[in-house]
Amino acid sequence: MWLADLKFDWEGHLILLPVPVEGGSRYGIYHCCCDYPALLPEETTSRRREWERIRKSFRQSWSERFGAWPSSGNKAWPGHHIRDLWHSGDPVDPNNVFPAQPDVHDLYNRVYPACYAGQPPWNTTGPDVPYTDH
């Protein structure tokens, strides 16, 4: 998971010569939070049941703090566990769950295995995006 992708670009002029110069570098900081060992299927099932038991009250508590839990029509968005249940994520920690639009939640579930396996794009720097102020 990318924590920072720092880009150090500069432009200027040499003091002695009136020529423009520019340079820079990039420093990517990433940490794959997916280094946790996988739980046995029955342990994961137990955590899933714990989440299902508290899901309604969790969403209620979340709504009191942040506003209504998002929904599409009359169907509530799924709660995404940042540290997933299969890798011993706390199923009821308010700092581990956030609402995710259903198709985005499906995408998370499809791409997380690459993180667990230490594969790109989780372990590579992001695209070179130019500054918007130029």
Side-chain angles (χ1 to χ4, degrees):
M1 180 142 332
W2 276 101
L3 302 177
D5 188 3
L6 306 172
K7 188 173 179 181
F8 301 99
D9 288 347
W10 55 270
E11 295 177 14
H13 289 39
L14 293 177
I15 296 174
L16 299 175
L17 301 170
V19 294
V21 291
E22 59 183 57
S25 65
R26 283 180 85 177
Y27 181 65
I29 302 170
Y30 77 95
H31 168 72
C32 189
C33 55
C34 311
D35 292 339
Y36 302 105
L39 299 176
L40 297 172
E42 51 273 8
E43 294 171 307
T44 304
T45 300
S46 172
R47 289 175 177 270
R48 171 77 46 211
R49 284 190 194 123
E50 188 176 353
W51 165 243
E52 289 169 357
R53 279 193 303 272
I54 198 170
R55 181 173 38 218
K56 187 174 180 178
S57 63
F58 179 93
R59 289 176 177 167
Q60 238 173 346
S61 297
W62 190 93
S63 296
E64 291 168 5
R65 189 169 176 197
F66 300 110
W69 185 273
S71 63
S72 297
N74 62 356
K75 184 170 174 141
W77 286 8
H80 179 70
H81 289 83
I82 299 164
R83 181 172 170 192
D84 72 289
L85 304 180
W86 185 36
H87 291 87
S88 64
D90 187 335
V92 297
D93 178 1
N95 294 316
N96 191 41
V97 182
F98 66 92
Q101 192 173 358
D103 56 338
V104 174
H105 189 247
D106 291 344
L107 175 64
Y108 291 156
N109 289 336
R110 282 195 313 272
V111 298
Y112 263 39
C115 180
Y116 298 124
Q119 298 173 345
W122 299 98
N123 62 354
T124 57
T125 58
D128 187 18
V129 180
Y131 294 109
T132 58
D133 58 354
H134 285 159

